[in-house]
Amino acid sequence: RPSARSSSKIKQKTTQCSAMAIVFDGYSRVYPASYYEDPSLTEFFYRIGLSLGEFAFNSTKYPHDYAFTLRMLRSWRLVDVGGAVLLAMLFTALRYVISVWPVANWLQIQPASKLKWPESIWKFIAYSGLWLYSLYVVLLSGRYDFFHNPVDILRGIIFDENYLEKPLPSDIYWMYALQLGFYLHSVYATLFMDAWRKDSIMMLFHHGLTIFLLEFSLLMKYYKTGALVLFLHDLSDIILEFTKINVYLKDRGKKLFLLNEWLANIGFVMFAFSWAWFRLYWFPLKVLYPSHWSVYLYHQGRDPKMFVFFNSMLFALQILHIYWFYFIVLLLVRVATGTQREVEDTREYEEAERHRRLNGHQESPGVDDASQDGTVDSAATSIRHRTNKD
C-alpha cells in the first residue's frame, strides 16, 4: 500500500514516461497518457471491445450483485416521480395554450400546416429552454469538467453501502426533473396531440427509452453520463423546429415569402450538421466511449454495477440516431438531385393517409392509391401537384 510520498513519485515518474498512474483503494495502476486522449476510430472500437470483453463476458469474475440491484430499486422515491408527473401536466397545459392560440389564422398559414405550426412553436420553445439550462449546468456554471474530461466520468465512484443514498447536486437534479417531465408529456403528446408520422412509433420508443435511461441513471447516480446525453441532444431539436416553423411560414396568404424559404434552407443545413456533429460524433466520443473505457480504467477487479445493461441502452439510443439520420440524408439527396425542390418533412404522411389512420376507416380501392402503403410522404405529394400544374 503506497504512501502519499510514494504515490507522488509514481505520478512524477509516469508523467516523465508519457504515462499516467491511477491511484485508488490503496493501490496504483499505470496507463499510457494516450489512454486519456481522444481515440482514433480503430482505438474507439478496440477499447470498447476490450471493456466488453473484461466485464460483459466474465460473469465468474464479475457476478451480478442482486442485493445491490434490489437496494437500487428500493431507492426509488415517490416524490421524484410525482414531481415529474406534475411537470408533465404543466408542460401539457402550456402546449394546449399554444395550440389554441390563433396566431396561425392571423398569419394565414396554409390549412395543411395549421395543426403542425403550434406543435413546432411549442417544441422550439421547450427544447430551447431545456437546452439552455443544460448548457448552463454542463459548461457555463464551471462546476463540472466531465464534458472536457469524459474519460474521468466514473473516477472516484465507489459502490459502498452508502453510495445509493448520496444526494445529487441540486442543478443536476432539476435538469433531470424537467427532462423527465417533458418526456412524460411527449409520450402523451405523440399519441394525442402531434401530427402522426411514419416514425411516430419509433418516436414513442425513443421517449420511453429516454425516460428509462433518465430514471435509471438517476437511481444509479450516473448523472454525469445522463447530463452529457441531455446536453448533446436538444440543440438539434431546436434547429429542426426552427426549420419547420419557416417551412410553414414561407407559403401563406397565397404568397411565397422568400426570407422564410431561405431561413428554412439554411436551418436544414445547420440541422443536418448539428445532428452529425452532436449525435453521430460527440455522442459516441463523449458518452459511448467513456461509459465503456472509464469502467475499464477505474473498475477493473471491482463490480461495475449494471455496466452492460446501462451501456446497451446507450447503444440503442445511438441506433435511433442513425435511423433518423437516414431521413436527413434522404432529404439532402432529394434536394441535391432535384427530385424535391423544397425542404419539407419527409417523415410526414399525406394528409389523406393520416386522417384515414387516425379515424380508423379504410378507403375504397382506387382512391389515393399512391398512399395505400403508408410510405408516400407529403413532400412527394407536393412535387406531384406542382408537376401536374406545370
Side-chain angles (χ1 to χ4, degrees):
R1 300 174 64 88
S3 63
R5 180 178 298 178
S6 62
S7 297
S8 176
K9 290 181 179 179
I10 291 174
K11 291 181 181 179
Q12 182 179 2
K13 183 177 181 180
T14 53
T15 299
Q16 294 173 351
C17 299
S18 299
M20 293 188 65
I22 298 173
V23 181
F24 58 83
D25 288 356
Y27 63 92
S28 64
R29 188 173 292 148
V30 180
Y31 295 107
S34 61
Y35 277 25
Y36 301 87
E37 300 171 354
D38 289 345
S40 65
L41 184 62
T42 303
E43 291 170 338
F44 176 87
F45 288 105
Y46 172 74
R47 292 173 181 174
I48 286 181
L50 198 64
S51 180
L52 289 173
E54 172 68 19
F55 297 103
F57 310 107
N58 203 345
S59 58
T60 302
K61 186 177 180 180
Y62 303 100
H64 183 74
D65 190 345
Y66 292 98
F68 179 88
T69 302
L70 184 59
R71 293 202 311 272
M72 183 266 289
L73 294 174
R74 287 176 175 174
S75 67
W76 177 83
R77 300 194 309 170
L78 184 61
V79 64
D80 297 331
V81 178
V85 171
L86 288 176
L87 286 170
M89 295 172 65
L90 176 61
F91 281 129
T92 303
L94 291 174
R95 164 73 184 274
Y96 177 76
V97 170
I98 292 177
S99 297
V100 299
W101 201 21
V103 176
N105 292 329
W106 301 341
L107 296 175
Q108 297 181 311
I109 293 176
Q110 295 296 322
S113 301
K114 282 186 177 180
L115 293 177
K116 304 169 191 175
W117 156 266
E119 176 187 339
S120 290
I121 287 291
W122 158 247
K123 289 182 178 179
F124 176 78
I125 295 172
Y127 283 128
S128 296
L130 292 172
W131 186 77
L132 288 174
Y133 184 64
S134 298
L135 174 66
Y136 167 75
V137 172
V138 174
L139 288 180
L140 301 182
S141 68
R143 299 188 186 100
Y144 312 102
D145 66 346
F146 48 79
F147 178 81
H148 299 290
N149 301 295
V151 173
D152 285 341
I153 208 163
L154 294 180
R155 187 172 188 173
I157 289 182
I158 300 175
F159 297 103
D160 55 21
E161 292 294 327
N162 300 320
Y163 173 77
L164 294 173
E165 283 70 44
K166 295 178 181 179
L168 266 67
S170 59
D171 51 358
I172 296 285
Y173 176 84
W174 279 108
M175 180 193 296
Y176 267 79
L178 289 168
Q179 293 278 357
L180 278 169
F182 178 75
Y183 279 102
L184 285 172
H185 150 76
S186 296
V187 171
Y188 174 85
T190 301
L191 289 171
F192 303 108
M193 303 180 76
D194 294 350
W196 193 258
R197 297 178 172 90
K198 295 177 185 178
D199 67 339
S200 290
I201 298 298
M202 293 297 294
M203 190 68 72
L204 287 171
F205 176 73
H206 170 271
H207 295 338
L209 179 63
T210 303
I211 292 169
F212 181 83
L213 274 171
L214 285 171
E215 187 62 29
F216 180 80
S217 63
L218 182 68
L219 293 176
M220 285 294 297
K221 304 298 186 292
Y222 290 160
Y223 60 85
K224 294 179 181 179
T225 300
L228 283 174
V229 171
L230 296 174
F231 171 70
L232 294 175
H233 274 68
D234 289 340
L235 180 60
S236 297
D237 294 317
I238 295 171
I239 301 174
L240 172 63
E241 299 308 328
F242 170 82
T243 302
K244 292 168 67 176
I245 288 170
N246 281 281
V247 168
Y248 304 145
L249 287 175
K250 69 182 179 182
D251 186 14
R252 49 195 167 93
K254 298 181 179 180
K255 295 180 181 179
L256 177 64
F257 290 81
L258 295 179
L259 175 61
N260 294 113
E261 184 175 19
W262 180 80
L263 289 174
N265 293 333
I266 295 297
F268 180 72
V269 173
M270 293 174 60
F271 166 68
F273 175 79
S274 69
W275 189 285
W277 187 264
F278 279 76
R279 302 196 185 195
L280 301 184
Y281 176 66
W282 263 357
F283 183 82
L285 188 64
K286 301 286 187 180
V287 176
L288 288 180
Y289 175 73
S291 66
H292 289 79
W293 192 232
S294 184
V295 173
Y296 183 82
L297 293 180
Y298 296 113
H299 287 269
Q300 283 189 64
R302 305 186 300 170
D303 185 2
K305 305 299 183 188
M306 311 291 285
F307 155 77
V308 176
F309 179 75
F310 183 57
N311 284 319
S312 65
M313 297 296 100
L314 293 176
F315 266 111
L317 193 58
Q318 182 64 9
I319 291 172
L320 289 178
H321 295 162
I322 297 170
Y323 169 78
W324 276 310
F325 193 63
Y326 158 77
F327 288 103
I328 299 172
V329 174
L330 179 65
L331 184 52
L332 283 172
V333 171
R334 287 180 174 181
V335 173
T337 59
T339 305
Q340 182 170 327
R341 302 178 187 176
E342 302 175 358
V343 172
E344 295 185 21
D345 195 341
T346 60
R347 301 171 302 154
E348 294 178 357
Y349 287 108
E350 295 184 50
E351 290 303 305
E353 172 68 7
R354 174 174 169 270
H355 287 299
R356 181 180 67 83
R357 286 177 174 266
L358 291 179
N359 295 332
H361 61 266
Q362 304 209 359
E363 300 173 4
S364 58
V367 178
D368 198 17
D369 288 339
S371 66
Q372 292 303 310
D373 61 352
T375 61
V376 181
D377 51 60
S378 58
T381 304
S382 62
I383 292 172
R384 287 202 305 270
H385 291 334
R386 286 193 295 271
T387 303
N388 291 338
K389 290 180 181 179
D390 294 341

